Amino acid sequence: MAGRGKLIAVLGDEDTVTGFLLGGVGELDKHRRPNFLVVEKETALTEIEEAFRSFLCREDIGIVLINQFIAEMIRHVIDAHTKSLPAVLEIPSKEHPYDASKDSILRRAKGMFTAEDLR
Amino acid sequence: MTPAEDIGQAEICEELDRVILHLFDALEMLQTKREAFNSLVEQGWFSLSKSRYAMGNKSVSTLQYGNQMTPLIRIDTSKREDGQTEFQVITEDAFKRKDESTAVVEEIGPSEQVLRRRKGPGKAEDVAQSQNTASQPAEVLGHQDPLNWFGILVPQSLRQAQKTFREGIHLAAEIASIQSEIEATRSYYQSLLEKKRKLVAEKKQCSP
């Protein structure tokens, strides 16, 4: 199965993770290691960061979906990730609508243009 | 995009303009896809909430997740020459069709084999065996529809939520491809800009 394609990892609130797992992205491998993390109020920041870093290190993951409000908590890790794989997608959550100005990819694109360059 | 090795400043400027236009197109596309994706996800949450209303508050939560999960959707990644990565969704349904395309021929048989069963017990065993082998692939793969985690007779809204999130996953793959395109364009633009700066600096040094 592993050779057929990569997984989609999800890091988000309960509804986001439940929705995408319902869509069929969830996997528990033979070590019962999940490709998702449900972030609740009591979830520690270190746990979130660790889970995100482990998703980035896994070669069987192609896309990481992360709620933008969680991405904000670990922005330094997301900004440091410049590889094309896995792709990190910031998605809205129920209580926090998507804000393009916070998105790492768009901020990088915006940073391309300085007054000096456009002269 | 061609590598700008031996081209002059004017050509580099033209190429820069072309790259910028390409980038703007990609950004516009990203915004459109993002809007569609966000509205799909919102629709999915709404359907999940409706299911909760119908089934009870605790009936759609992390507690219901299956203790075995096999992905029904995977992502196929391919890297292009310009460094851009493309993401394509592979759904398990397609796998099943591929896996069972050979088994389908065997499955057509039972109407004839049922008649044969009357003739003797020996042949009936053969039939039972062939039926077992035909049904094996699905069991071996162990794929379970995540809908079943929440019960056998789930409300329509939960099915709707599943459908919506599946569509969302397809869009997510498209968004990932566009993001990769933007990143590749960005690095190409920066390399061109660096080249232009060097050319301008050289010109300044040459002219007194």
Side-chain angles (χ1 to χ4, degrees), chain A residues 7 11 14 33 36 59 61 65 83 92 97 107 109:
Chain A
L7 300 169
L11 224 157
E14 190 183 31
R33 188 175 53 158
F36 57 89
E59 285 191 358
I61 289 179
L65 300 174
K83 289 181 191 165
R107 278 198 299 127

Side-chain angles (χ1 to χ4, degrees), chain B residues 45-134:
Chain B
W45 290 327
F46 187 57
S47 299
L48 276 182
S49 300
K50 276 208 257 181
S51 310
R52 258 194 209 114
Y53 181 73
M55 297 166 72
N57 195 25
K58 304 258 167 151
S59 302
V60 185
S61 69
T62 51
L63 297 173
Q64 277 76 41
Y65 292 175
N67 55 4
Q68 282 192 335
M69 289 187 198
T70 317
L72 298 171
I73 289 185
R74 283 176 180 267
I75 295 290
D76 182 36
T77 55
S78 53
K79 203 153 194 173
R80 283 180 15 187
E81 281 178 14
D82 54 4
Q84 190 188 321
T85 312
E86 277 198 36
F87 298 83
Q88 269 191 324
V89 171
I90 316 169
T91 52
E92 193 50 53
D93 302 343
F95 284 156
K96 275 186 184 168
R97 253 178 264 138
K98 272 185 199 170
D99 290 337
E100 288 176 5
S101 57
T102 49
V104 167
V105 183
E106 289 172 33
E107 280 180 310
I108 296 168
S111 58
E112 290 174 35
Q113 286 167 344
V114 168
L115 288 172
R116 279 183 207 164
R117 203 181 275 179
R118 294 175 190 165
K119 290 179 183 172
K123 281 186 179 177
E125 277 171 23
D126 289 345
V127 171
Q129 274 180 350
S130 67
Q131 278 175 343
N132 284 343
T133 49

Side-chain angles (χ1 to χ4, degrees), chain A residues 6-57:
Chain A
K6 292 182 187 284
L7 300 169
I8 300 175
V10 194
L11 224 157
D13 58 17
E14 190 183 31
D15 275 18
T16 307
V17 176
T18 305
F20 282 103
L21 292 192
L22 196 59
V25 303
E27 190 207 50
L28 283 173
D29 63 12
K30 55 186 174 185
H31 306 293
R32 300 202 59 74
R33 188 175 53 158
N35 64 337
F36 57 89
L37 177 76
V38 178
V39 177
E40 284 157 348
K41 277 178 189 167
E42 56 268 24
T43 309
L45 188 63
T46 47
E47 195 185 336
I48 298 171
E49 195 175 322
E50 209 173 286
F52 183 74
R53 282 186 196 276
S54 74
F55 292 156
L56 294 186
C57 293

